[in-house]
Amino acid sequence: MNSPTNRTLDAIWRIESPKLIAGLMRLVRDVGRAEELAQDAFVAALTRWPNEGIPDNPGAWLMTVAKRRAIDQIRRNKTFEQKTDELGRNLDASDLTDFDAVHQEIDDDVLRLMFVAAHPVLAAEARVALMLRLLGGLTTAEIARAFLMPEPTIAQRIVRAKRTLAEARVPFEVPGQSERASRLASVLEAIYLIFNEGYAATAGDDVLRPELVEDALRLGRVLAAFMPGEPEVHGLVALMEIQSSRMRARVDAAGEPVLLLDQDRGKWNRLQIQRGLNALSRAERFGHALGPYALQAAIAACHARAATAEDTDWERIAALYDALAQILPSPVIELNRAVAVGMAFGAQQGLEIVDRLAGEPSLKRYHLLPSVRADLLFKAGRSSEARAEFERAASMAQNSRDRALLLKRAAECRF
C-alpha cells in the first residue's frame, strides 16, 4: 500500500478493526467469524471507497456492512433464527450516528475482547499473539518479528487459538476478579507489544507508526479505568506515556531516526511526561515491589527528568535494570542492561554483558544485538571492529530508516 489513499485505508483498518471485531464478537460469539466478517467489510470498503470516497464515519460504515453479512450468514442456518431477529432489531442502516454515540459500549466490548483472547484455555504465547492480531491489527509477519519467531509458527498459533476459543465456547464477557488477575499479564504484554510496533516499527520505511501508539495508549487507559487497583496497569500506562512523549523528537525533518541521547528535549511533550509520572506515582503508591512495567517506567522517568543527556542518572538506570533482570530475565532486557552498564561504568563492562549474549538463539536475527555491541566497541576505541558490527546490524535491519542510520554510523567509524 503505497498511494496516499491506500495508506489512509490501511490506517483506518488499524484504528477501526479492534472495535469492529469486538462489536461483532458480542453478536456472533465466535472470534474467528468476527474477524472474517470485519475483513469482509474492509474488502468491500477497498472496492467502493476509492471511487465513492471515504465516508464521514468509516467505522460505522464498516460495522453496518459487517452486520449485514452476519445476518446473511445466520439466515442460512435455520438453528439461529432467533439470533437473526435480534441482529435485525440492532441494525438500522439509516442511522449511522448512533455508532458514534456509544463510545462506552465500544470500550466495554474491547475490554471483553482483551480478556477473551487472554483466556487460560489458550497457551500463554497463543493469547498474546491473538491479541496482537485482534486488538493491534498487526500482520502475522509483524507479530513474528515481535516474538523473534518464524512467521509460519505464529500463523499456526493464531489459527489454533481461534479454533480453541470456538470449541471451548468461551463466553464474551469480562471475567470475575480472581480470574481477571490470572489473565492480566497476557493483556499487558499484548498492549505493550502493540505500542512498541508503533514506537519503533520493525519493518517498512517509517520509524514511527503513531496510530498503533495511540491504540495502545487507549487500551491501556481503558484498562486502568477498569482496574484502578492494579499497580502494573498504571506502570504500563506510565511507561507508554513517557516513551511516547518523545515521538516528535525521535525523527528529524527528513524522517530519519534520532537516537535518544541526541534528541532535542525541548520537543518532548511535557504534559505527557507529567501524565506518565503521575501514573508511575500511582503504581508506587501501593507500597509493593515494583513490577516489570513499573520498573521500565522508572527507567523512562530517569530520562524524562534529566534536563540534558549529560544529566542522566545512568547508575540508577543500571540498578533498575538489575532489578528488572531479576524478576523478568530475558535476552532483550539483558541487552538493554548492557547499554546502561556501559554508560554508567564504562564500555568494557557493557561489552562483557553483550558478549555473553552472542550465542543466544532468539537474538540470532535481532539487529540491535550487533548494533549495541558496535556502539560499545566504538566507545572503547575499537573503531574497525565497531564498523564491522554496524554493517552487520544494517544487513539484519528490516526497517529502511534503521538500516540507513546504521550504515551512517558504520561510515563514521572510518574517521
Side-chain angles (χ1 to χ4, degrees):
M1 289 191 173
N2 294 318
S3 72
T5 299
N6 282 340
R7 285 197 296 272
T8 300
L9 294 175
D10 186 50
I12 289 171
W13 170 250
R14 293 196 179 274
I15 292 167
E16 298 295 342
S17 62
K19 295 176 280 187
L20 192 60
I21 293 168
L24 291 166
M25 177 69 178
R26 178 161 50 91
L27 298 175
V28 301
R29 307 287 169 168
D30 183 307
V31 70
R33 287 181 62 207
E35 186 182 16
E36 288 170 6
L37 287 164
Q39 290 171 343
D40 286 348
F42 193 66
V43 169
L46 291 175
T47 303
R48 293 175 56 179
W49 291 357
N51 297 321
E52 299 176 6
I54 297 172
D56 292 337
N57 192 331
W61 191 99
L62 290 166
M63 181 61 86
T64 298
V65 171
K67 280 184 176 180
R68 284 177 178 153
R69 291 178 185 243
I71 289 172
D72 288 343
Q73 285 185 8
I74 293 171
R75 280 177 177 153
R76 287 193 290 268
N77 187 338
K78 295 298 184 182
T79 64
F80 286 95
E81 288 179 356
Q82 184 177 355
K83 191 65 177 176
T84 301
D85 293 339
E86 178 187 337
L87 284 175
R89 288 193 299 272
N90 287 338
L91 177 61
D92 182 356
S94 65
D95 186 9
L96 298 183
T97 58
D98 281 355
F99 190 75
D100 251 352
V102 291
H103 294 299
Q104 184 59 51
E105 183 176 307
I106 292 170
D107 284 348
D108 290 347
D109 284 343
V110 170
L111 196 62
R112 291 185 190 101
L113 185 58
M114 285 188 211
F115 284 97
V116 167
H119 196 280
V121 73
L122 303 175
E125 61 273 14
R127 298 175 210 163
V128 178
L130 186 61
M131 278 188 281
L132 290 174
R133 175 75 172 198
L134 300 179
L135 295 168
L138 299 186
T139 66
T140 305
E142 289 164 346
I143 298 168
R145 285 194 295 272
F147 278 107
L148 304 177
M149 294 184 67
E151 189 174 338
T153 302
I154 295 298
Q156 291 175 1
R157 188 174 289 176
I158 292 170
V159 169
R160 287 180 190 144
K162 288 189 284 191
R163 186 186 306 129
T164 300
L165 287 175
E167 291 172 352
R169 298 184 181 277
V170 172
F172 186 59
E173 62 186 18
V174 176
Q177 189 168 356
S178 60
E179 193 177 347
R180 203 156 58 220
S182 68
R183 302 190 203 180
L184 183 59
S186 296
V187 172
L188 294 176
E189 183 181 358
I191 292 173
Y192 192 45
L193 285 171
I194 293 168
F195 177 86
N196 275 336
E197 183 59 30
Y199 186 71
T202 55
D205 298 325
D206 298 316
V207 176
L208 302 172
R209 296 169 67 182
E211 72 282 359
L212 291 181
V213 171
E214 286 301 317
D215 281 351
L217 278 166
R218 180 174 172 275
L219 291 171
R221 291 165 185 157
V222 168
L223 195 60
F226 180 68
M227 304 180 73
E230 288 291 340
E232 270 294 81
V233 176
H234 297 298
L236 176 59
V237 171
L239 175 58
M240 295 191 297
E241 293 279 14
I242 296 172
Q243 285 189 318
S244 61
S245 73
R246 309 174 196 146
M247 286 181 64
R248 282 194 305 161
R250 286 203 71 237
V251 294
D252 62 19
E256 300 299 332
V258 180
L259 298 175
L260 175 61
L261 299 185
D262 297 329
Q263 289 175 13
D264 178 358
R265 297 183 179 220
K267 293 182 178 179
W268 289 2
N269 187 320
R270 306 314 299 185
L271 178 61
Q272 208 166 6
I273 287 173
Q274 191 56 54
R275 284 206 302 261
L277 295 176
N278 290 344
L280 177 59
S281 178
R282 284 192 287 275
E284 293 170 336
R285 204 174 296 152
F286 289 89
H288 309 307
L290 294 182
Y293 294 108
L295 281 170
Q296 290 175 82
I299 291 167
C302 289
H303 294 293
R305 291 180 173 124
T308 67
E310 291 73 25
D311 294 333
T312 306
D313 188 348
W314 285 106
E315 290 191 16
R316 173 163 170 73
I317 291 174
L320 288 166
Y321 269 119
D322 286 343
L324 183 61
Q326 290 294 317
I327 63 173
L328 191 69
S330 84
V332 172
I333 287 172
E334 197 66 4
L335 185 61
N336 290 331
R337 189 172 79 86
V339 173
V341 168
M343 294 296 293
F345 306 111
Q348 185 55 44
Q349 289 197 42
L351 275 169
E352 289 172 6
I353 297 172
V354 171
D355 287 343
R356 289 198 292 269
L357 296 170
E360 175 58 46
S362 66
L363 300 183
K364 186 176 180 181
R365 296 297 302 166
Y366 191 51
H367 75 281
L368 292 181
L369 176 60
S371 173
V372 168
R373 188 168 189 273
D375 186 63
L376 290 167
L377 286 167
F378 183 76
K379 287 183 170 71
R382 296 158 63 178
S383 296
S384 60
E385 294 173 79
R387 182 176 67 250
E389 286 291 84
F390 276 129
E391 289 172 348
R392 187 163 77 91
S395 72
M396 296 162 65
Q398 297 191 55
N399 183 288
S400 61
R401 303 281 188 174
D402 288 342
R403 190 159 51 246
L405 176 63
L406 291 164
L407 290 173
K408 178 183 176 184
R409 297 207 66 193
E412 291 168 351
C413 294
R414 299 179 186 274
F415 301 103

